[in-house]
Amino acid sequence: MRQIQMVDTRTQYHHIKNEVDKAVLDVLESSAFINGKPVQDFAANLSAYLGVNHTIPCANGTDALQIAMMALGLEPGDEVITPSFTYIATTEVIALLRLKPVFVEVDPKTFCIDPAAIEKAITPRTRAIVPVHLYGHAAPMEEIMAIAAKHNLFVVEDNAQAIGCDYTFSDGSKKKTGTIGHIGCTSFYPSKNLGAFGDGGAMFTNDADLAVKLRMIANHGQQKRYYHDTVGCNSRLDTIQAAILDIKLKHLDEYIVRRRRAADYYDQAFAGLAGVTVPYRADYCTHVFHQYTLILQDADRDGLSAWLAEKQVPSMIYYPVPAHKQKMFEQFGTASQVMPVTDWLTSRVISLPIHTELDEEQLAWITQNVIAYLNK
Ligand SMILES: *Cc1c(COP(=O)(O)O)cnc(C)c1O
């Protein structure tokens, strides 16, 4: 059996090696390492894939979130509502910009921000909501957009884990996640569903004015070279990464199918197994399974993880400490906030290997060993 990994980017590369190698060599030959043609080509192709008017590439997903927040023209102390149960990048940029992160609960089924909790957290200082499509499952965007419209708030989607996820509205219309809020952000970190061979990120919007601002901020606040109208930063997607991503974009739908197939295998194997909850799939979206995350009702999580490790099966805890308890937010005094759902999930989730290259033999081995431990 091939060694099981949380993500197997190397085998995935081997399937498209000829195409990728040629694209990289073409960039080396052109020597247009910064803002070469593949950057614009990839942005245009990604816009077409997502059905969005503007894609602004940048250096990584954290920058995308930061630049998005800078483009909204918020004032220090303005409040931004976000889940505590997320990767730190979502929340960190809020504090970095001297805004105030307001942490709210997630829905224990979807792992995504709870609209009722958003409503309760709104104050006169609230300016924006940052939902996260965690593990590849969409946050309830229709409800979130309705709350935002009612209270005149911006919505910045953190789509780093859910690129390609389809969202269906109650009238039957569909949109891709990341194109529903005022701005969507994503990451092309190698292990993401659309991963580069290094760092990368992008922002999406249908608003032409916001697109201009995002582009300017990512480029030292300039539109015309050497004329800097606003304080920005330097955040670019390398041409080599764009050339690779443009090839991988053509495979994204197939990659999603493969991830979903692995998830289906897990779901079937664990059906009826006492003590675990398999990932929930809401009717309104197509889960793209960036992670396959179980909730253990009362099984010993460290014990399961050690048992699996002995059998050469890796597992991970995403995330062991929720944002509101991180030391970096000490100044906001959020550690004492009562967040039972977040705390409950934090102590009970465990993610199994999921990627595009898992075969039946590996899946059988993983599930067999999970089941053996839970039936012990
Ligand atoms: C990966 C990730 C990011 C940050 O992306 P980087 O490219 O690593 O900066 C932000 N939010 C979430 C939810 C992520 O998973």
Side-chain angles (χ1 to χ4, degrees), residues 293-328:
T293 304
L294 294 171
I295 303 174
L296 301 177
Q297 296 305 332
D298 41 30
D300 171 11
R301 184 171 64 176
D302 291 340
L304 172 61
S305 169
W307 166 271
L308 291 175
E310 256 176 54
K311 315 279 190 291
Q312 273 73 55
V313 176
S315 61
M316 290 289 283
I317 311 304
Y318 303 114
Y319 298 91
V321 183
H324 74 285
K325 288 191 174 158
Q326 296 287 352
K327 193 155 175 240
M328 69 154 75

PDB file of all heavy atoms in Angstrom, residues 293-328:
ATOM      1  N   THR A 293     -14.030  15.794   8.435  1.00  0.00           N
ATOM      2  CA  THR A 293     -13.897  15.975   9.876  1.00  0.00           C
ATOM      3  C   THR A 293     -15.025  15.296  10.630  1.00  0.00           C
ATOM      4  O   THR A 293     -16.194  15.599  10.412  1.00  0.00           O
ATOM      5  CB  THR A 293     -13.851  17.490  10.195  1.00  0.00           C
ATOM      6  OG1 THR A 293     -12.777  18.057   9.432  1.00  0.00           O
ATOM      7  CG2 THR A 293     -13.625  17.738  11.674  1.00  0.00           C
ATOM      8  N   LEU A 294     -14.630  14.374  11.500  1.00  0.00           N
ATOM      9  CA  LEU A 294     -15.589  13.656  12.341  1.00  0.00           C
ATOM     10  C   LEU A 294     -15.761  14.386  13.661  1.00  0.00           C
ATOM     11  O   LEU A 294     -14.827  15.052  14.135  1.00  0.00           O
ATOM     12  CB  LEU A 294     -15.062  12.252  12.647  1.00  0.00           C
ATOM     13  CG  LEU A 294     -14.921  11.269  11.479  1.00  0.00           C
ATOM     14  CD1 LEU A 294     -14.176  10.022  11.967  1.00  0.00           C
ATOM     15  CD2 LEU A 294     -16.283  10.901  10.909  1.00  0.00           C
ATOM     16  N   ILE A 295     -16.934  14.222  14.265  1.00  0.00           N
ATOM     17  CA  ILE A 295     -17.115  14.642  15.660  1.00  0.00           C
ATOM     18  C   ILE A 295     -17.190  13.360  16.486  1.00  0.00           C
ATOM     19  O   ILE A 295     -18.013  12.485  16.194  1.00  0.00           O
ATOM     20  CB  ILE A 295     -18.412  15.457  15.851  1.00  0.00           C
ATOM     21  CG1 ILE A 295     -18.436  16.674  14.928  1.00  0.00           C
ATOM     22  CG2 ILE A 295     -18.539  15.894  17.319  1.00  0.00           C
ATOM     23  CD1 ILE A 295     -19.763  17.430  14.958  1.00  0.00           C
ATOM     24  N   LEU A 296     -16.313  13.257  17.467  1.00  0.00           N
ATOM     25  CA  LEU A 296     -16.333  12.098  18.371  1.00  0.00           C
ATOM     26  C   LEU A 296     -17.217  12.449  19.556  1.00  0.00           C
ATOM     27  O   LEU A 296     -16.981  13.471  20.219  1.00  0.00           O
ATOM     28  CB  LEU A 296     -14.920  11.779  18.868  1.00  0.00           C
ATOM     29  CG  LEU A 296     -13.862  11.466  17.797  1.00  0.00           C
ATOM     30  CD1 LEU A 296     -12.510  11.237  18.462  1.00  0.00           C
ATOM     31  CD2 LEU A 296     -14.261  10.256  16.972  1.00  0.00           C
ATOM     32  N   GLN A 297     -18.229  11.628  19.821  1.00  0.00           N
ATOM     33  CA  GLN A 297     -19.139  11.967  20.919  1.00  0.00           C
ATOM     34  C   GLN A 297     -18.417  11.890  22.267  1.00  0.00           C
ATOM     35  O   GLN A 297     -18.349  12.870  22.980  1.00  0.00           O
ATOM     36  CB  GLN A 297     -20.371  11.065  20.916  1.00  0.00           C
ATOM     37  CG  GLN A 297     -21.243  11.248  19.667  1.00  0.00           C
ATOM     38  CD  GLN A 297     -21.676  12.696  19.442  1.00  0.00           C
ATOM     39  OE1 GLN A 297     -21.794  13.471  20.385  1.00  0.00           O
ATOM     40  NE2 GLN A 297     -21.908  13.076  18.183  1.00  0.00           N
ATOM     41  N   ASP A 298     -17.860  10.719  22.591  1.00  0.00           N
ATOM     42  CA  ASP A 298     -17.120  10.675  23.854  1.00  0.00           C
ATOM     43  C   ASP A 298     -15.841   9.832  23.769  1.00  0.00           C
ATOM     44  O   ASP A 298     -15.175   9.625  24.772  1.00  0.00           O
ATOM     45  CB  ASP A 298     -18.018  10.205  25.017  1.00  0.00           C
ATOM     46  CG  ASP A 298     -18.921   9.059  24.615  1.00  0.00           C
ATOM     47  OD1 ASP A 298     -18.523   8.282  23.735  1.00  0.00           O
ATOM     48  OD2 ASP A 298     -20.020   8.945  25.150  1.00  0.00           O
ATOM     49  N   ALA A 299     -15.506   9.360  22.579  1.00  0.00           N
ATOM     50  CA  ALA A 299     -14.273   8.581  22.431  1.00  0.00           C
ATOM     51  C   ALA A 299     -13.057   9.443  22.751  1.00  0.00           C
ATOM     52  O   ALA A 299     -13.111  10.668  22.611  1.00  0.00           O
ATOM     53  CB  ALA A 299     -14.173   8.046  21.013  1.00  0.00           C
ATOM     54  N   ASP A 300     -11.986   8.801  23.175  1.00  0.00           N
ATOM     55  CA  ASP A 300     -10.754   9.500  23.509  1.00  0.00           C
ATOM     56  C   ASP A 300     -10.035   9.888  22.209  1.00  0.00           C
ATOM     57  O   ASP A 300      -9.520   9.032  21.507  1.00  0.00           O
ATOM     58  CB  ASP A 300      -9.898   8.569  24.391  1.00  0.00           C
ATOM     59  CG  ASP A 300      -8.503   9.111  24.627  1.00  0.00           C
ATOM     60  OD1 ASP A 300      -8.253  10.289  24.300  1.00  0.00           O
ATOM     61  OD2 ASP A 300      -7.662   8.344  25.127  1.00  0.00           O
ATOM     62  N   ARG A 301     -10.034  11.179  21.925  1.00  0.00           N
ATOM     63  CA  ARG A 301      -9.496  11.651  20.656  1.00  0.00           C
ATOM     64  C   ARG A 301      -7.992  11.416  20.541  1.00  0.00           C
ATOM     65  O   ARG A 301      -7.509  10.961  19.499  1.00  0.00           O
ATOM     66  CB  ARG A 301      -9.817  13.139  20.470  1.00  0.00           C
ATOM     67  CG  ARG A 301      -9.380  13.666  19.124  1.00  0.00           C
ATOM     68  CD  ARG A 301      -9.898  15.059  18.877  1.00  0.00           C
ATOM     69  NE  ARG A 301      -9.357  16.028  19.821  1.00  0.00           N
ATOM     70  CZ  ARG A 301      -9.609  17.331  19.766  1.00  0.00           C
ATOM     71  NH1 ARG A 301     -10.406  17.813  18.825  1.00  0.00           N
ATOM     72  NH2 ARG A 301      -9.093  18.169  20.645  1.00  0.00           N
ATOM     73  N   ASP A 302      -7.251  11.717  21.608  1.00  0.00           N
ATOM     74  CA  ASP A 302      -5.801  11.499  21.574  1.00  0.00           C
ATOM     75  C   ASP A 302      -5.504  10.016  21.383  1.00  0.00           C
ATOM     76  O   ASP A 302      -4.559   9.646  20.698  1.00  0.00           O
ATOM     77  CB  ASP A 302      -5.142  11.985  22.868  1.00  0.00           C
ATOM     78  CG  ASP A 302      -5.194  13.497  22.979  1.00  0.00           C
ATOM     79  OD1 ASP A 302      -5.382  14.158  21.932  1.00  0.00           O
ATOM     80  OD2 ASP A 302      -5.064  14.010  24.113  1.00  0.00           O
ATOM     81  N   GLY A 303      -6.338   9.186  22.031  1.00  0.00           N
ATOM     82  CA  GLY A 303      -6.169   7.742  21.913  1.00  0.00           C
ATOM     83  C   GLY A 303      -6.375   7.286  20.472  1.00  0.00           C
ATOM     84  O   GLY A 303      -5.577   6.509  19.943  1.00  0.00           O
ATOM     85  N   LEU A 304      -7.417   7.792  19.826  1.00  0.00           N
ATOM     86  CA  LEU A 304      -7.685   7.426  18.431  1.00  0.00           C
ATOM     87  C   LEU A 304      -6.542   7.881  17.531  1.00  0.00           C
ATOM     88  O   LEU A 304      -6.059   7.128  16.676  1.00  0.00           O
ATOM     89  CB  LEU A 304      -9.012   8.053  17.966  1.00  0.00           C
ATOM     90  CG  LEU A 304      -9.332   7.915  16.469  1.00  0.00           C
ATOM     91  CD1 LEU A 304      -9.435   6.452  16.043  1.00  0.00           C
ATOM     92  CD2 LEU A 304     -10.640   8.649  16.121  1.00  0.00           C
ATOM     93  N   SER A 305      -6.111   9.114  17.755  1.00  0.00           N
ATOM     94  CA  SER A 305      -5.046   9.678  16.940  1.00  0.00           C
ATOM     95  C   SER A 305      -3.751   8.863  17.071  1.00  0.00           C
ATOM     96  O   SER A 305      -3.080   8.571  16.067  1.00  0.00           O
ATOM     97  CB  SER A 305      -4.863  11.130  17.366  1.00  0.00           C
ATOM     98  OG  SER A 305      -3.716  11.643  16.823  1.00  0.00           O
ATOM     99  N   ALA A 306      -3.428   8.459  18.302  1.00  0.00           N
ATOM    100  CA  ALA A 306      -2.208   7.662  18.540  1.00  0.00           C
ATOM    101  C   ALA A 306      -2.348   6.259  17.921  1.00  0.00           C
ATOM    102  O   ALA A 306      -1.410   5.736  17.316  1.00  0.00           O
ATOM    103  CB  ALA A 306      -1.940   7.547  20.046  1.00  0.00           C
ATOM    104  N   TRP A 307      -3.538   5.682  18.079  1.00  0.00           N
ATOM    105  CA  TRP A 307      -3.840   4.360  17.501  1.00  0.00           C
ATOM    106  C   TRP A 307      -3.662   4.388  15.972  1.00  0.00           C
ATOM    107  O   TRP A 307      -3.043   3.508  15.384  1.00  0.00           O
ATOM    108  CB  TRP A 307      -5.271   3.986  17.902  1.00  0.00           C
ATOM    109  CG  TRP A 307      -5.936   2.849  17.187  1.00  0.00           C
ATOM    110  CD1 TRP A 307      -6.670   2.933  16.039  1.00  0.00           C
ATOM    111  CD2 TRP A 307      -5.960   1.466  17.567  1.00  0.00           C
ATOM    112  NE1 TRP A 307      -7.162   1.705  15.694  1.00  0.00           N
ATOM    113  CE2 TRP A 307      -6.748   0.775  16.611  1.00  0.00           C
ATOM    114  CE3 TRP A 307      -5.415   0.755  18.638  1.00  0.00           C
ATOM    115  CZ2 TRP A 307      -6.990  -0.593  16.686  1.00  0.00           C
ATOM    116  CZ3 TRP A 307      -5.657  -0.607  18.707  1.00  0.00           C
ATOM    117  CH2 TRP A 307      -6.436  -1.275  17.743  1.00  0.00           C
ATOM    118  N   LEU A 308      -4.197   5.446  15.356  1.00  0.00           N
ATOM    119  CA  LEU A 308      -4.083   5.572  13.899  1.00  0.00           C
ATOM    120  C   LEU A 308      -2.624   5.779  13.485  1.00  0.00           C
ATOM    121  O   LEU A 308      -2.155   5.188  12.509  1.00  0.00           O
ATOM    122  CB  LEU A 308      -4.957   6.721  13.384  1.00  0.00           C
ATOM    123  CG  LEU A 308      -6.470   6.510  13.474  1.00  0.00           C
ATOM    124  CD1 LEU A 308      -7.220   7.778  13.055  1.00  0.00           C
ATOM    125  CD2 LEU A 308      -6.908   5.323  12.609  1.00  0.00           C
ATOM    126  N   ALA A 309      -1.918   6.613  14.246  1.00  0.00           N
ATOM    127  CA  ALA A 309      -0.514   6.894  13.921  1.00  0.00           C
ATOM    128  C   ALA A 309       0.316   5.608  13.930  1.00  0.00           C
ATOM    129  O   ALA A 309       1.184   5.407  13.082  1.00  0.00           O
ATOM    130  CB  ALA A 309       0.061   7.910  14.904  1.00  0.00           C
ATOM    131  N   GLU A 310       0.005   4.725  14.892  1.00  0.00           N
ATOM    132  CA  GLU A 310       0.687   3.421  14.960  1.00  0.00           C
ATOM    133  C   GLU A 310       0.472   2.600  13.692  1.00  0.00           C
ATOM    134  O   GLU A 310       1.305   1.793  13.314  1.00  0.00           O
ATOM    135  CB  GLU A 310       0.094   2.608  16.120  1.00  0.00           C
ATOM    136  CG  GLU A 310       0.950   2.528  17.354  1.00  0.00           C
ATOM    137  CD  GLU A 310       0.191   1.781  18.442  1.00  0.00           C
ATOM    138  OE1 GLU A 310      -0.280   0.649  18.204  1.00  0.00           O
ATOM    139  OE2 GLU A 310       0.049   2.381  19.525  1.00  0.00           O
ATOM    140  N   LYS A 311      -0.681   2.808  13.089  1.00  0.00           N
ATOM    141  CA  LYS A 311      -1.028   2.073  11.852  1.00  0.00           C
ATOM    142  C   LYS A 311      -0.660   2.890  10.608  1.00  0.00           C
ATOM    143  O   LYS A 311      -1.196   2.654   9.525  1.00  0.00           O
ATOM    144  CB  LYS A 311      -2.541   1.784  11.835  1.00  0.00           C
ATOM    145  CG  LYS A 311      -3.127   1.270  13.122  1.00  0.00           C
ATOM    146  CD  LYS A 311      -2.888  -0.220  13.269  1.00  0.00           C
ATOM    147  CE  LYS A 311      -3.623  -0.879  14.398  1.00  0.00           C
ATOM    148  NZ  LYS A 311      -3.214  -0.546  15.767  1.00  0.00           N
ATOM    149  N   GLN A 312       0.188   3.879  10.780  1.00  0.00           N
ATOM    150  CA  GLN A 312       0.613   4.757   9.674  1.00  0.00           C
ATOM    151  C   GLN A 312      -0.550   5.520   9.033  1.00  0.00           C
ATOM    152  O   GLN A 312      -0.549   5.793   7.825  1.00  0.00           O
ATOM    153  CB  GLN A 312       1.365   3.964   8.589  1.00  0.00           C
ATOM    154  CG  GLN A 312       2.866   3.831   8.835  1.00  0.00           C
ATOM    155  CD  GLN A 312       3.162   2.856   9.976  1.00  0.00           C
ATOM    156  OE1 GLN A 312       2.723   1.712   9.936  1.00  0.00           O
ATOM    157  NE2 GLN A 312       3.891   3.336  10.962  1.00  0.00           N
ATOM    158  N   VAL A 313      -1.532   5.864   9.848  1.00  0.00           N
ATOM    159  CA  VAL A 313      -2.634   6.695   9.346  1.00  0.00           C
ATOM    160  C   VAL A 313      -2.546   8.061  10.042  1.00  0.00           C
ATOM    161  O   VAL A 313      -2.764   8.155  11.246  1.00  0.00           O
ATOM    162  CB  VAL A 313      -4.015   6.059   9.640  1.00  0.00           C
ATOM    163  CG1 VAL A 313      -5.136   6.988   9.194  1.00  0.00           C
ATOM    164  CG2 VAL A 313      -4.131   4.695   8.962  1.00  0.00           C
ATOM    165  N   PRO A 314      -2.205   9.115   9.288  1.00  0.00           N
ATOM    166  CA  PRO A 314      -2.144  10.437   9.919  1.00  0.00           C
ATOM    167  C   PRO A 314      -3.558  10.980  10.174  1.00  0.00           C
ATOM    168  O   PRO A 314      -4.510  10.595   9.496  1.00  0.00           O
ATOM    169  CB  PRO A 314      -1.430  11.298   8.882  1.00  0.00           C
ATOM    170  CG  PRO A 314      -1.667  10.622   7.574  1.00  0.00           C
ATOM    171  CD  PRO A 314      -1.881   9.152   7.853  1.00  0.00           C
ATOM    172  N   SER A 315      -3.663  11.848  11.164  1.00  0.00           N
ATOM    173  CA  SER A 315      -4.922  12.562  11.412  1.00  0.00           C
ATOM    174  C   SER A 315      -4.533  13.918  11.980  1.00  0.00           C
ATOM    175  O   SER A 315      -3.396  14.108  12.412  1.00  0.00           O
ATOM    176  CB  SER A 315      -5.796  11.785  12.400  1.00  0.00           C
ATOM    177  OG  SER A 315      -5.136  11.643  13.632  1.00  0.00           O
ATOM    178  N   MET A 316      -5.467  14.867  11.938  1.00  0.00           N
ATOM    179  CA  MET A 316      -5.151  16.220  12.413  1.00  0.00           C
ATOM    180  C   MET A 316      -6.336  16.804  13.176  1.00  0.00           C
ATOM    181  O   MET A 316      -7.479  16.408  12.948  1.00  0.00           O
ATOM    182  CB  MET A 316      -4.857  17.146  11.219  1.00  0.00           C
ATOM    183  CG  MET A 316      -3.561  16.868  10.500  1.00  0.00           C
ATOM    184  SD  MET A 316      -2.108  17.337  11.467  1.00  0.00           S
ATOM    185  CE  MET A 316      -2.132  19.112  11.249  1.00  0.00           C
ATOM    186  N   ILE A 317      -6.011  17.763  14.045  1.00  0.00           N
ATOM    187  CA  ILE A 317      -7.060  18.496  14.746  1.00  0.00           C
ATOM    188  C   ILE A 317      -7.100  19.908  14.162  1.00  0.00           C
ATOM    189  O   ILE A 317      -6.173  20.693  14.362  1.00  0.00           O
ATOM    190  CB  ILE A 317      -6.782  18.587  16.273  1.00  0.00           C
ATOM    191  CG1 ILE A 317      -6.438  17.217  16.882  1.00  0.00           C
ATOM    192  CG2 ILE A 317      -7.959  19.250  16.994  1.00  0.00           C
ATOM    193  CD1 ILE A 317      -7.451  16.137  16.678  1.00  0.00           C
ATOM    194  N   TYR A 318      -8.142  20.208  13.422  1.00  0.00           N
ATOM    195  CA  TYR A 318      -8.366  21.575  12.916  1.00  0.00           C
ATOM    196  C   TYR A 318      -9.575  22.137  13.636  1.00  0.00           C
ATOM    197  O   TYR A 318     -10.685  21.728  13.338  1.00  0.00           O
ATOM    198  CB  TYR A 318      -8.624  21.590  11.416  1.00  0.00           C
ATOM    199  CG  TYR A 318      -7.549  20.987  10.581  1.00  0.00           C
ATOM    200  CD1 TYR A 318      -7.775  19.817   9.859  1.00  0.00           C
ATOM    201  CD2 TYR A 318      -6.294  21.576  10.498  1.00  0.00           C
ATOM    202  CE1 TYR A 318      -6.790  19.266   9.064  1.00  0.00           C
ATOM    203  CE2 TYR A 318      -5.296  21.021   9.712  1.00  0.00           C
ATOM    204  CZ  TYR A 318      -5.547  19.868   8.990  1.00  0.00           C
ATOM    205  OH  TYR A 318      -4.560  19.325   8.210  1.00  0.00           O
ATOM    206  N   TYR A 319      -9.432  22.983  14.606  1.00  0.00           N
ATOM    207  CA  TYR A 319      -8.209  23.585  15.128  1.00  0.00           C
ATOM    208  C   TYR A 319      -8.221  23.362  16.629  1.00  0.00           C
ATOM    209  O   TYR A 319      -9.287  23.472  17.226  1.00  0.00           O
ATOM    210  CB  TYR A 319      -8.170  25.071  14.761  1.00  0.00           C
ATOM    211  CG  TYR A 319      -8.141  25.228  13.248  1.00  0.00           C
ATOM    212  CD1 TYR A 319      -9.304  25.358  12.522  1.00  0.00           C
ATOM    213  CD2 TYR A 319      -6.925  25.172  12.555  1.00  0.00           C
ATOM    214  CE1 TYR A 319      -9.270  25.448  11.133  1.00  0.00           C
ATOM    215  CE2 TYR A 319      -6.899  25.283  11.166  1.00  0.00           C
ATOM    216  CZ  TYR A 319      -8.063  25.413  10.472  1.00  0.00           C
ATOM    217  OH  TYR A 319      -8.040  25.490   9.097  1.00  0.00           O
ATOM    218  N   PRO A 320      -7.090  23.120  17.261  1.00  0.00           N
ATOM    219  CA  PRO A 320      -7.102  22.750  18.674  1.00  0.00           C
ATOM    220  C   PRO A 320      -7.449  23.896  19.633  1.00  0.00           C
ATOM    221  O   PRO A 320      -7.911  23.639  20.739  1.00  0.00           O
ATOM    222  CB  PRO A 320      -5.670  22.274  18.927  1.00  0.00           C
ATOM    223  CG  PRO A 320      -4.850  22.906  17.853  1.00  0.00           C
ATOM    224  CD  PRO A 320      -5.748  23.072  16.668  1.00  0.00           C
ATOM    225  N   VAL A 321      -7.224  25.144  19.220  1.00  0.00           N
ATOM    226  CA  VAL A 321      -7.546  26.297  20.082  1.00  0.00           C
ATOM    227  C   VAL A 321      -8.387  27.283  19.271  1.00  0.00           C
ATOM    228  O   VAL A 321      -7.950  27.730  18.210  1.00  0.00           O
ATOM    229  CB  VAL A 321      -6.257  27.010  20.576  1.00  0.00           C
ATOM    230  CG1 VAL A 321      -6.604  28.151  21.530  1.00  0.00           C
ATOM    231  CG2 VAL A 321      -5.298  26.019  21.221  1.00  0.00           C
ATOM    232  N   PRO A 322      -9.586  27.619  19.735  1.00  0.00           N
ATOM    233  CA  PRO A 322     -10.407  28.565  18.975  1.00  0.00           C
ATOM    234  C   PRO A 322      -9.829  29.978  19.079  1.00  0.00           C
ATOM    235  O   PRO A 322      -9.091  30.287  20.017  1.00  0.00           O
ATOM    236  CB  PRO A 322     -11.772  28.470  19.663  1.00  0.00           C
ATOM    237  CG  PRO A 322     -11.484  28.006  21.044  1.00  0.00           C
ATOM    238  CD  PRO A 322     -10.235  27.180  20.989  1.00  0.00           C
ATOM    239  N   ALA A 323     -10.168  30.828  18.125  1.00  0.00           N
ATOM    240  CA  ALA A 323      -9.575  32.168  18.062  1.00  0.00           C
ATOM    241  C   ALA A 323      -9.782  32.957  19.354  1.00  0.00           C
ATOM    242  O   ALA A 323      -8.853  33.612  19.840  1.00  0.00           O
ATOM    243  CB  ALA A 323     -10.151  32.928  16.877  1.00  0.00           C
ATOM    244  N   HIS A 324     -10.993  32.853  19.936  1.00  0.00           N
ATOM    245  CA  HIS A 324     -11.275  33.734  21.083  1.00  0.00           C
ATOM    246  C   HIS A 324     -10.385  33.409  22.284  1.00  0.00           C
ATOM    247  O   HIS A 324     -10.237  34.220  23.180  1.00  0.00           O
ATOM    248  CB  HIS A 324     -12.768  33.696  21.464  1.00  0.00           C
ATOM    249  CG  HIS A 324     -13.240  32.461  22.170  1.00  0.00           C
ATOM    250  ND1 HIS A 324     -13.446  31.255  21.531  1.00  0.00           N
ATOM    251  CD2 HIS A 324     -13.540  32.244  23.473  1.00  0.00           C
ATOM    252  CE1 HIS A 324     -13.865  30.361  22.409  1.00  0.00           C
ATOM    253  NE2 HIS A 324     -13.925  30.930  23.596  1.00  0.00           N
ATOM    254  N   LYS A 325      -9.757  32.212  22.282  1.00  0.00           N
ATOM    255  CA  LYS A 325      -8.855  31.855  23.391  1.00  0.00           C
ATOM    256  C   LYS A 325      -7.382  32.048  23.051  1.00  0.00           C
ATOM    257  O   LYS A 325      -6.509  31.695  23.845  1.00  0.00           O
ATOM    258  CB  LYS A 325      -9.102  30.396  23.794  1.00  0.00           C
ATOM    259  CG  LYS A 325     -10.428  30.216  24.515  1.00  0.00           C
ATOM    260  CD  LYS A 325     -10.548  28.846  25.134  1.00  0.00           C
ATOM    261  CE  LYS A 325     -11.810  28.759  25.975  1.00  0.00           C
ATOM    262  NZ  LYS A 325     -12.224  27.371  26.156  1.00  0.00           N
ATOM    263  N   GLN A 326      -7.081  32.579  21.880  1.00  0.00           N
ATOM    264  CA  GLN A 326      -5.685  32.781  21.503  1.00  0.00           C
ATOM    265  C   GLN A 326      -5.108  33.982  22.250  1.00  0.00           C
ATOM    266  O   GLN A 326      -5.758  35.020  22.380  1.00  0.00           O
ATOM    267  CB  GLN A 326      -5.561  33.022  19.981  1.00  0.00           C
ATOM    268  CG  GLN A 326      -5.988  31.834  19.136  1.00  0.00           C
ATOM    269  CD  GLN A 326      -5.003  30.669  19.171  1.00  0.00           C
ATOM    270  OE1 GLN A 326      -3.893  30.785  19.721  1.00  0.00           O
ATOM    271  NE2 GLN A 326      -5.404  29.544  18.592  1.00  0.00           N
ATOM    272  N   LYS A 327      -3.855  33.813  22.641  1.00  0.00           N
ATOM    273  CA  LYS A 327      -3.185  34.872  23.397  1.00  0.00           C
ATOM    274  C   LYS A 327      -3.126  36.183  22.602  1.00  0.00           C
ATOM    275  O   LYS A 327      -3.177  37.274  23.171  1.00  0.00           O
ATOM    276  CB  LYS A 327      -1.778  34.390  23.775  1.00  0.00           C
ATOM    277  CG  LYS A 327      -1.127  35.254  24.797  1.00  0.00           C
ATOM    278  CD  LYS A 327      -0.071  34.496  25.593  1.00  0.00           C
ATOM    279  CE  LYS A 327       0.637  35.457  26.521  1.00  0.00           C
ATOM    280  NZ  LYS A 327       2.077  35.536  26.273  1.00  0.00           N
ATOM    281  N   MET A 328      -3.029  36.078  21.283  1.00  0.00           N
ATOM    282  CA  MET A 328      -2.901  37.295  20.472  1.00  0.00           C
ATOM    283  C   MET A 328      -4.089  38.251  20.639  1.00  0.00           C
ATOM    284  O   MET A 328      -3.990  39.421  20.340  1.00  0.00           O
ATOM    285  CB  MET A 328      -2.679  36.973  18.978  1.00  0.00           C
ATOM    286  CG  MET A 328      -3.847  36.374  18.257  1.00  0.00           C
ATOM    287  SD  MET A 328      -3.798  36.709  16.467  1.00  0.00           S
ATOM    288  CE  MET A 328      -2.554  35.607  15.888  1.00  0.00           C
TER     289      MET A 328
END
